[in-house]
Amino acid sequence: MDIILLGPPGAGKGTQAHHLVQHHRMRQLSTGDMLRAAVKANTPIGLEAKGIMERGGLVSDDIVSALIDAELLAMGPATGAIFDGYPRTAVQAAELDTILARHGRKLDYVIELEVDEETLVDRVTGRFTCANCGESYHDRYRLPRVAGVCDICAATEFKRRPDDNEETVRHRMAEYRAKTAPILPGYEERGIVRRVDGMQPISQVTADIEQILANAQLRARPARASRSSGQG
Ligand code: AP5
């Protein structure tokens, strides 16, 4: 199954993607993470992206779509994709359709996480992640079970993102409203948008997403069963 987790900065896309990859045969494709890795490695893409990301702007469509294309090629058809932070513009949404078709895949769901703006600022400015596995934590809402030790991989180093300050977050939100939110109606017309109340506790948001995936699997089963009985 290929899904998009869509939502503004701090909506919980990364948090939920991390959960899904632990429980399903799925891989998180986060263009933000890919770009941060490129910045860290000082690659040509990283050098181009660094300043844009620090200001909270959007990196060029060509760059992020090429990153996604390469990841899909590398992971093969048997693993589901969780698109996290991509697509972010109408051009990227069209490019994703082209890329998926080229890889013989199709988009199953766009899961929109809905959260109000002041909550988002609060979440993003309190966020920190495990420096080893990337698990996401928060100064108030999600501390590691043992102080200073990652729940998932037991690493003891954590980091904060340079773009997680209030001014940049507000700019990232404005970019989301202007360029990303307008791609939703196109997916609504295709009947693949599912909305989740992202203001709920993390575990309840997870449960709602799991329910969407479970319903999808139930719906897919009769079709598969009738195909196999027709063959037998
Ligand atoms: P990116 O890395 O994609 O950042 P973002 O979209 O701004 O989203 P975030 O990672 O900030 O938030 P999230 O929704 O993952 O929230 P999280 O789960 O961490 O992009 C960064 C930059 O890269 C962009 O600004 C742009 O410059 C560039 N870029 C990336 N992709 C691009 C593209 N396609 N095109 C062009 N440019 C691109 O949660 C946040 C915090 O809240 C955490 O601390 C978490 O523990 C907590 N939390 C999560 N859920 C809950 C909950 N339900 N209740 C309470 N706390 C919660």
Side-chain angles (χ1 to χ4, degrees), residues 4-26:
I4 295 174
L5 289 182
L6 194 78
K13 305 181 294 292
T15 302
Q16 297 302 330
H18 268 248
H19 167 86
L20 290 174
V21 298
Q22 285 159 31
H23 295 91
H24 299 270
R25 195 170 176 183
M26 299 181 95

Side-chain angles (χ1 to χ4, degrees), residues 22-229:
Q22 285 159 31
H23 295 91
H24 299 270
R25 195 170 176 183
M26 299 181 95
R27 177 141 164 220
Q28 176 190 15
L29 300 182
S30 159
T31 40
D33 286 349
M34 294 173 205
L35 291 168
R36 277 184 287 280
V39 170
K40 196 173 171 196
N42 269 319
T43 65
I45 287 177
L47 292 173
E48 185 173 334
K50 188 170 188 289
I52 300 170
M53 293 174 78
E54 280 169 1
R55 290 190 296 278
L58 292 186
V59 176
S60 87
D61 295 328
D62 291 353
I63 287 181
V64 291
S65 292
L67 290 171
I68 288 289
D69 196 12
E71 288 289 325
L72 283 175
L73 187 65
M75 70 190 234
T79 305
I82 306 162
F83 299 102
D84 163 8
Y86 178 92
R88 260 177 152 98
T89 65
V91 171
Q92 291 178 27
E95 285 171 347
L96 178 59
D97 286 339
T98 306
I99 292 168
L100 287 173
R102 196 163 56 237
H103 290 277
R105 314 177 68 116
K106 78 166 188 35
L107 196 55
D108 292 286
Y109 287 112
V110 176
I111 299 177
E112 186 194 11
L113 302 176
E114 298 178 303
V115 181
D116 72 47
E117 181 155 337
E118 290 316 306
T119 303
L120 294 171
V121 173
D122 184 41
R123 280 190 193 173
V124 172
T125 52
R127 167 173 52 189
F128 61 100
T129 55
C130 170
N132 180 47
C133 72
E135 183 69 5
S136 189
Y137 296 95
H138 192 278
D139 291 329
R140 289 176 295 287
Y141 310 126
R142 187 166 184 244
L143 286 164
R145 282 191 289 270
V146 177
V149 181
C150 176
D151 294 350
I152 305 299
C153 72
T156 53
E157 281 192 35
F158 297 85
K159 59 184 181 182
R160 288 179 194 266
R161 281 169 40 178
D163 58 343
D164 277 353
N165 57 77
E166 181 166 350
E167 190 189 344
T168 308
V169 170
R170 295 219 184 257
H171 186 57
R172 283 157 58 197
M173 282 170 192
E175 290 281 73
Y176 180 83
R177 278 194 301 272
K179 297 173 184 166
T180 309
I183 70 178
L184 260 170
Y187 291 126
E188 267 161 10
E189 277 170 23
R190 285 154 64 171
I192 57 172
V193 176
R194 299 290 181 273
R195 292 202 163 77
V196 171
D197 176 4
M199 300 286 287
Q200 306 174 98
I202 292 172
S203 59
Q204 188 55 50
V205 176
T206 303
D208 286 2
I209 294 174
E210 288 289 3
Q211 191 61 55
I212 292 167
L213 300 186
N215 290 345
Q217 273 155 6
L218 277 179
R219 262 196 299 277
R221 232 170 251 156
R224 276 192 205 120
S226 65
R227 266 203 307 276
S228 51
S229 66

